[in-house]
Amino acid sequence: MRTIATYNIKGGVGKTATAVNLGYLASRDDLRVLLWDLDPQAAATFLLRIKPRVKGGGSALIKGSRELDEAIRGTDFEGLDLLPADFTFRNLDLMLDATKKPTQRLARLLRPLAGAYDMVFLDCPPGISLLSESVLHAADTVLVPLIPTTLSIRTLEQLTEFLSGFAGHTPQLLAFFSMIDRRKRLHREIAERLPAERPDVAKTAIPALSQIEQMAVRRAPVPAFAPRGLAARSYASLWEEVRARAL
Amino acid sequence: MTGVGVVVLTLPQDFVLGDGLEPAPEELQAALEPRFSVVRAGRSRTVRRTWLDTFDWRLHRAGLTLELVTGRGHGQLVLTAAGGERLTEPANGVRWPALATALPPGPVRARLADITEERALLPAVRVVSSVASLRARNADDKTVAWLTVDSSAAAPSRARLPPRLTVAPVRGYQAQADRIAAMLARVSGVEPVRAPQLDAALAAVGRHPGDYTGKIDVELTAGMPARLAVAALLLRLLGTLEANVAGTVRDTDTEFLHDLRVAVRRTRSALKLAGSALPGGLAAEFGPEFKWLGDATTPTRDLDVYLLGYPEMAASLSSATPAELAPFHDYLVARREQERQRLVRALRSRRFQTLATSWRDALTGLTAPRRGGPGKGGTAKGGTAKGGTAEKLASVVIRKAHRRVLTLGGSITDGSPSERLHDLRKRCKELRYALEFFASLCDPAGHQQAVRELKDLQDVLGRFQDCQVQQHEIRQIAAAMGAAGQVPVTALLAMGDLSAQIGRAERRARRQFAARFGEFASDAGRQRFRSLTPGGRP
C-alpha cells in the first residue's frame, strides 16, 4: 500500500481537487484506493456526495476505539472508497497530542488497511501542525500543489528544509503547478523554469479552469463528468507522472 | 461501490423475476419514489459465471455456493453462505480444477480449505449473463446501492434461466439498501429468491446439486426379490465406479481413485456375500475381473495414502529434519506417477471397457421387467437367498458376516501373527459393506449404533494395517534408492527415524485392539446386530 498526501501550508491551491481527481484516476487503473479527508471543511467528502460524519468523531479514530475500516464509505465510483471528514477534525491536533508518539499515529492507524487497499490519498488541511507532521510521516509521497508565485515557491523550500530534518523514513516530495493562469507572464515563466531546475517539480501543470470549479456543482471528479476536457487530460498527465514516481 | 478485489462482507438481496418481467429503470424508479431515484449505469455487460464445488458437493452440503465471475478481464471468486453473507476475492490466474490451497491467500481460501480438504474445486455448471447495472441514489443523489438485472443462459445448452434482480449495498449503506430491497419486494412479479441460481443453472443442464454421492443410497423394500435387490445395489456401485473414472484418469484429485476403489471393493464384497442371489455363474464370471481391477488400483492408492499423510509424518520426526526426508518424498512422488500411468492404461484398456459394458448389460437384464413370468435368473432353485426376499437376504448376509468377525476376532491373542489382524480387517469391511447395502431395511437407530461400534474397531485395524504397509514400503524404497545410488545418508537416516515413528504407532494400534474388539463383541453389541433386521429379531 502506497500513501500519497496532498499538502501545502497555503490553502486554496487545489489540494482537494488533486486528491479527488488522482484518487479517481488511480481507481480507474484498477488500484484499490482509499481517500481520507482530514480537512474539517470536508470538501472532498462533499465532492463525493458523502455525509461529513464519523461515528464517535475524530477522537474515536485517533484513539483507535473505532477502526478506520468501520468509518469507510463506498463512493459512486468502483474502486474508490472514502474515509469522510467530520467537523471534530478541527481538533485533530489536540487529539493527536494526547496520544503517544503523535507523529507516528496516522501511519499506525493506516497499517491494518494495507491488505485492502493499494493506494491511500491523504487530503490535508493547510498549515503546519502536529497533524501535518503526522501526515508527512505516514506518506510515501507528498504532492504539493503550487501557485506559480514567488511566495508560493518559498513555501516549497520551507517544506523541503523541514523534511530534511526527518530521521528515518522521509517521504518523496513532488511539487506541481496548479491553478496556472497562462495569461500571466509570471505564471508562465515560473512554470517553465522551475521543473527544469528542480527534479522534484513535475512537468505537468494544472491550469486554472472552470471545469475544475465545476466539480463542486457536479459533485464528481473531473474525468467522470468531462473526460475529454483539458482539465481531465491535465490530471491524467499528472497522474502518469505521480504513478511513475510513486509506484 | 467497494474497491475491485477488496475483501468485503456484504449482505446483498436477490430476487427472481416472473416470466417476461425484466423491469425498465422507470419501473424500478416508480417503486422506489420519492425516497430513491434510479439511473442506468453504463451499458449492459457480458459476465461469465462458473459455479465451483467438489465432485462430491462438499460446499453445497455445507450450505455454501462458490462462483467464479469473469468479465472485463477480471476474475473474482464470490462465496455465498446460506444466510446471504457474501465474501469476494480476486482469483486471477487460478487454473481449474484447483485445490483450495491453490487459491490466493485470504478469507475465501481460509473458509474453503477445511471443507474441501483433499478434494479439488471444479466447475459444476457455467452460465453466460447479460448484466444491466443501475444506481439507486438517495436524496443527495449519492449511490447507495447497485441494482443489477441479470439475464442468464446455461452454457453450452443456452437454456434460459429466470432473470434475477440483485440489490447490492455500497459500502457503508447497508440500511438504505435493505430499505430499497423491501420496497422492490412489494412489486408484483418480484419474488425473493428461494434457491440459489446454481439450482436453476444445474436444472437447465439436467443436473441437480448433490447429484453425486459415494454413498449407497439405494432404497430397498423388504418384500422385493433378493435378485432384484442385489442387482440394484450392484448397478448403483457400477454407476459410482464409472462416475470416478474420468477424474482418476485426469488425476483431478486423489479421492476419485479412492471412490472408484471403494466401489470395486464393495462390488466384490457384494458378489461374495450375496452373489448367490444372482443367476448361476454371474458372480463367478465377473468376480475375477473385479479383482483384476481392484489390484490395478492398489499401488497408486497406497502411495496416495502415504503422500496425504506425509506432512504429518515429516513433522513427527524426532532426530531428523523434514528437509532430510525430501529425497524420500521425491521418490514417492515419482513412483506414484509411474503407478498412476499403469492404472490409467488399465482404465483405458479394452478389458476394462468390456467389463463395464458387459456388467451393466448383465445387471440391467436382471432388473428389466420380464414378459410371461420369471426369466433369466428368476427361477429359484435351492439356496436360501436366490428365491427369497431382500429382507431375508439382508438378515442372512449381515448375520453371516457378523459371525465371521466374531469368530476370527475372538481367536486373536496378543501373540497372533499380523496376518490374522489383516484378515479380520477384511471381514470387518465386508460386514460394514453389508450394513451399508441393506441400511434401508434396518432399524435406523440400531443400524447407526452398530456402524459406529464397527467403525471404532475398523479404525484400529486400519491404523495397524497402514503402519505395516508403510513400514514395508520404507524398507523396499530404501533398498531401491540405495541400489539406484546417489541417495544421501541423511535421507536414509531420516527414513529410519520415520520407520521408528511408524513402528511406535503400529504397536499402539495393536495394544488398542483387544479393548476395541471386546466392546464390539460384548453381549449388548451382539444383541444389537441380531435385532437389526426383522428376520434376525427374536
Side-chain angles (χ1 to χ4, degrees):
Chain A
M1 185 176 81
R2 308 290 295 174
T3 304
I4 296 177
T6 51
Y7 173 71
N8 196 323
I9 299 166
K10 283 169 71 63
V13 293
K15 291 187 295 292
T16 296
T18 304
V20 170
N21 288 321
L22 296 197
Y24 172 81
L25 289 167
S27 72
R28 299 281 292 181
D29 277 0
D30 285 342
L31 295 174
R32 302 167 300 172
V33 181
L34 174 67
L35 168 55
W36 187 354
D37 186 357
L38 286 157
D39 190 339
Q41 292 179 71
T45 305
F46 173 82
L47 292 180
L48 293 168
R49 298 177 186 272
I50 293 172
K51 284 201 164 53
R53 198 168 53 224
V54 171
K55 206 172 177 185
S59 160
L61 294 183
I62 297 297
K63 279 189 208 155
S65 58
R66 183 169 163 81
E67 299 285 331
L68 295 193
D69 197 44
E70 295 170 41
I72 292 171
R73 296 282 176 268
T75 71
D76 288 11
F77 308 102
E78 188 170 342
L80 176 61
D81 288 349
L82 178 86
L83 212 162
D86 184 279
F87 195 54
T88 58
F89 283 10
R90 68 190 187 280
N91 297 322
L92 280 181
D93 275 332
L94 297 173
M95 294 165 192
L96 280 170
D97 200 27
T99 64
K100 282 182 191 166
K101 296 185 182 171
T103 57
Q104 310 296 323
R105 193 68 189 166
L106 286 191
R108 201 168 156 183
L109 291 171
L110 287 168
R111 220 168 285 148
L113 299 175
Y117 294 99
D118 302 309
M119 189 160 276
V120 174
F121 282 87
L122 301 175
D123 184 25
C124 307
I128 289 190
S129 62
L130 197 51
L131 171 64
S132 47
E133 208 174 326
S134 193
V135 164
L136 295 174
H137 277 281
D140 298 301
T141 302
V142 180
L143 271 181
V144 187
L146 294 173
I147 295 173
T149 62
T150 310
L151 283 179
S152 191
I153 289 156
R154 210 174 143 258
T155 63
L156 177 63
E157 280 157 5
Q158 285 173 329
L159 182 60
T160 309
E161 197 180 324
F162 182 63
L163 290 177
S164 69
F166 272 31
H169 169 77
T170 308
Q172 176 193 42
L173 192 75
L174 182 61
F176 66 95
F177 288 111
S178 170
M179 304 171 81
I180 284 198
D181 186 345
R182 292 271 166 201
R183 292 168 304 179
K184 293 180 179 171
R185 199 174 65 186
L186 184 65
H187 276 205
R188 286 198 309 273
E189 278 175 11
I190 293 177
E192 277 160 26
R193 182 170 46 83
L194 214 61
E197 289 175 0
R198 293 189 60 146
D200 57 356
V201 178
K203 289 183 175 54
T204 306
I206 306 294
L209 292 167
S210 64
Q211 266 179 348
I212 298 173
E213 287 166 15
Q214 279 286 315
M215 285 173 72
V217 180
R218 305 291 290 263
R219 297 182 75 180
V222 171
F225 66 81
R228 290 187 187 83
L230 177 59
R233 293 202 309 275
S234 301
Y235 277 113
S237 169
L238 179 63
W239 167 237
E240 285 303 314
E241 274 196 72
V242 172
R243 188 182 168 123
R245 296 203 197 198
L247 289 180
Chain B
M1 195 167 179
T2 55
V4 177
V6 178
V7 175
V8 176
L9 180 74
T10 55
L11 281 167
Q13 298 197 40
D14 293 329
F15 299 93
V16 68
L17 304 172
D19 280 346
L21 186 82
E22 282 188 35
E26 304 74 47
E27 291 173 70
L28 295 171
Q29 165 92 32
L32 299 177
E33 273 176 345
R35 206 170 213 166
F36 301 99
S37 59
V38 174
V39 290
R40 205 179 279 280
R43 279 181 289 179
S44 298
R45 64 186 199 279
T46 302
V47 169
R48 286 173 174 78
R49 284 202 185 91
T50 304
W51 276 272
L52 300 151
D53 206 328
T54 63
F55 188 64
D56 57 355
W57 297 97
R58 291 184 184 194
L59 301 189
H60 169 70
R61 282 189 274 132
L64 299 171
T65 55
L66 179 66
E67 274 173 79
L68 172 68
V69 183
T70 50
R72 292 181 183 165
H74 300 294
Q76 193 167 47
L77 281 175
V78 182
L79 180 66
T80 311
E85 313 94 277
R86 203 168 282 190
L87 278 172
T88 61
E89 205 166 275
N92 294 316
V94 180
R95 290 173 67 92
W96 307 98
L99 293 171
T101 48
L103 303 182
V108 171
R109 181 170 108 174
R111 184 85 187 267
L112 293 176
D114 288 344
I115 298 167
T116 58
E117 296 178 311
E118 65 281 1
R119 294 238 66 160
L121 291 161
L122 60 163
V125 65
R126 290 188 173 90
V127 300
V128 180
S129 309
S130 169
V131 179
S133 293
L134 304 134
R135 296 170 185 270
R137 304 195 300 195
N138 64 13
D140 296 333
D141 279 343
K142 167 78 184 82
T143 307
V144 293
W146 292 88
L147 311 182
T148 49
V149 180
D150 173 330
S151 310
S152 303
S157 71
R158 295 188 182 178
R160 298 204 66 77
L161 311 182
R164 288 200 168 208
L165 170 67
T166 299
V167 181
V170 168
R171 184 172 186 170
Y173 296 89
Q174 181 77 51
Q176 294 189 50
D178 289 348
R179 210 165 295 140
I180 288 167
M183 291 163 92
L184 291 174
R186 290 197 284 269
V187 176
S188 163
V190 176
E191 297 289 332
V193 161
R194 310 227 181 270
Q197 197 176 20
L198 168 63
D199 292 16
L202 284 170
V205 294
R207 295 187 61 190
H208 61 88
D211 58 7
Y212 170 82
T213 168
K215 292 196 174 112
I216 306 165
D217 50 1
V218 179
E219 280 295 316
L220 305 176
T221 53
M224 75 192 291
R227 170 182 55 81
L228 289 185
V230 176
L233 287 168
L234 288 167
L235 267 173
R236 176 74 183 83
L237 291 171
L238 178 59
T240 305
L241 191 163
E242 289 178 325
N244 283 286
V245 170
T248 303
V249 168
R250 288 192 203 119
D251 202 17
T252 304
D253 65 44
T254 56
E255 301 315 286
F256 282 95
L257 172 58
H258 171 265
D259 283 14
L260 185 151
R261 192 170 148 77
V262 169
V264 173
R265 268 206 317 250
R266 282 174 170 158
T267 300
R268 293 182 63 201
S269 292
L271 289 176
K272 181 178 171 185
L273 298 169
S276 62
L278 298 173
L282 211 53
E285 182 189 341
F286 284 93
E289 287 304 282
F290 280 107
K291 180 177 184 325
W292 162 77
L293 183 57
D295 289 347
T297 63
T298 301
T300 311
R301 179 60 195 170
D302 282 351
L303 287 159
D304 277 348
V305 171
Y306 227 138
L307 284 165
L308 287 169
Y310 182 86
E312 199 182 329
M313 284 194 296
S316 72
L317 293 173
S318 57
S319 63
T321 65
E324 287 168 340
L325 203 56
F328 175 59
H329 181 265
D330 295 345
Y331 187 88
L332 288 176
V333 170
R335 260 217 39 214
R336 179 191 181 266
E337 189 47 33
Q338 287 168 5
E339 294 297 347
R340 202 184 72 77
Q341 291 300 336
R342 265 189 214 115
L343 171 61
V344 168
R345 282 196 291 277
L347 292 174
R348 285 180 173 155
S349 68
R350 187 176 293 274
R351 185 174 178 180
F352 175 69
Q353 301 301 330
T354 307
L355 168 62
T357 312
S358 52
W359 185 229
R360 181 170 294 282
D361 288 347
L363 294 174
T364 44
L366 289 175
T367 53
R370 289 163 296 163
R371 268 179 276 160
K376 188 181 177 185
T379 319
K381 285 185 184 170
T384 326
K386 192 172 279 184
T389 61
E391 185 182 64
K392 179 69 182 165
L393 177 68
S395 174
V396 169
V397 166
I398 292 173
R399 207 172 53 236
K400 206 183 277 183
H402 185 226
R403 198 167 53 235
R404 281 190 188 137
V405 170
L406 291 178
T407 309
L408 181 54
S411 71
I412 293 173
T413 64
D414 289 348
S416 299
S418 308
E419 289 71 29
R420 300 294 300 277
L421 276 93
H422 298 331
D423 287 343
L424 180 62
R425 182 173 180 242
K426 289 181 196 162
R427 299 293 86 75
C428 284
K429 266 194 176 148
E430 285 170 2
L431 175 57
R432 177 79 175 271
Y433 294 155
L435 290 174
E436 289 169 353
F437 295 155
F438 300 113
S440 57
L441 300 176
C442 294
D443 160 54
H447 184 269
Q448 210 175 6
Q449 179 69 16
V451 168
R452 204 177 300 134
E453 287 170 6
L454 177 59
K455 191 174 172 299
D456 287 347
L457 178 59
Q458 283 184 289
D459 285 346
V460 171
L461 291 167
R463 275 202 300 278
F464 181 74
Q465 162 89 356
D466 287 347
C467 289
Q468 285 233 318
V469 169
Q470 287 172 355
Q471 291 240 54
H472 177 71
E473 283 277 328
I474 288 183
R475 279 193 285 274
Q476 283 206 323
I477 290 170
M481 287 170 77
Q486 296 176 333
V487 53
V489 176
T490 48
L492 288 175
L493 287 170
M495 288 163 72
D497 185 340
L498 185 61
S499 179
Q501 299 282 347
I502 296 171
R504 275 193 283 280
E506 180 197 314
R507 287 192 290 282
R508 217 167 23 246
R510 175 88 202 220
R511 280 197 300 275
Q512 288 169 345
F513 166 72
R516 288 285 164 86
F517 184 76
E519 286 164 24
F520 178 78
S522 66
D523 287 345
R526 287 168 194 253
Q527 183 53 43
R528 199 172 349 269
F529 269 87
R530 273 197 294 273
S531 311
L532 274 180
T533 55
R537 282 171 211 151

